[in-house]
Amino acid sequence: VRLRQADTKAQILAHSPSGKVPALIDGDLTVWDSLAICEYLAEKASLNHVDLWPADPKARAEARRVSAEMPSGFAALRQHMSMEVAASRPGEGQTPEVLADIARIAALWTSCRERFAAAGPFLFGDFSVADAMYAPVAFRFHTYGVELPPLAAAYRDTLLALPAMQEWAAGARAEVGA
């Protein structure tokens, strides 16, 4: 579904009763909330012995908090730095409110990477739901040329280098003919 088109809302409503994205369709089940989608996929992955949440209860609680902060916060970032994977808009959209959102995200990423770096390259070591929640932010930071502190920039680059992220970016470029 192409966003920002005259028929976007109608097209989304054909797949999602909320009229919003994202929406996951798995057979006869539709899940339309970001965190609900992540929880559903984490449960399915665990059936294959793949954990999408940290094993340690305290780290898992923190990962859930960090994950929940993404869709419930950072409204200025979403409003002024829209998700345009194939675009290049360095310096645009950096209002004071957006800069505050960027600072919060950079601090969050830096804190997680400082504490969990020994366990792996993602926010809590291994790839988790928290990383999936911030994947669109990594694209936004790339699109808008956002300057980040070293640990946050390295984390953004780790996300952008993932094969799934590369596939997502290639699909976006193909969609717009870039």
Side-chain angles (χ1 to χ4, degrees):
V1 174
R2 297 281 312 252
L3 300 179
R4 297 188 256 328
Q5 305 296 311
D7 65 341
T8 296
K9 185 75 163 183
Q11 285 192 45
I12 293 171
L13 281 167
H15 303 286
S16 171
S18 71
K20 296 180 181 180
V21 293
L24 172 75
I25 300 169
D26 185 14
D28 63 350
L29 174 69
T30 301
V31 185
W32 58 83
D33 173 80
S34 296
L35 208 46
I37 291 168
C38 289
E39 287 288 0
Y40 177 72
L41 294 174
E43 289 175 6
K44 286 190 74 145
S46 71
L47 298 174
N48 294 318
H49 308 289
V50 174
D51 292 322
L52 293 179
W53 290 114
D56 176 76
K58 287 184 178 181
R60 189 169 50 252
E62 185 173 357
R64 285 188 165 122
R65 177 188 52 79
V66 165
S67 297
E69 189 170 352
M70 182 54 236
S72 67
F74 314 121
L77 179 78
R78 284 194 303 276
Q79 179 182 357
H80 296 286
M81 292 184 166
S82 63
M83 181 73 174
E84 298 184 59
V85 175
S88 178
R89 305 190 189 296
E92 290 183 23
Q94 295 189 18
T95 68
E97 297 81 12
V98 170
L99 292 173
D101 283 354
I102 291 169
R104 171 66 186 136
I105 292 166
L108 187 151
W109 288 2
T110 298
S111 174
C112 289
R113 293 306 305 132
E114 285 173 344
R115 290 176 294 124
F116 297 100
F122 299 102
L123 288 178
F124 294 90
D126 293 329
F127 185 85
S128 72
V129 166
D131 303 296
M133 294 299 284
Y134 285 92
V137 174
F139 277 132
R140 282 180 166 97
F141 286 174
H142 181 263
T143 296
Y144 293 91
V146 172
E147 296 289 329
L148 295 169
L151 285 175
Y155 171 68
R156 175 208 54 217
D157 295 345
T158 295
L159 285 179
L160 292 175
L162 288 170
M165 294 285 281
Q166 292 291 308
E167 183 180 344
W168 188 356
R173 286 189 298 275
E175 184 176 277
V176 297

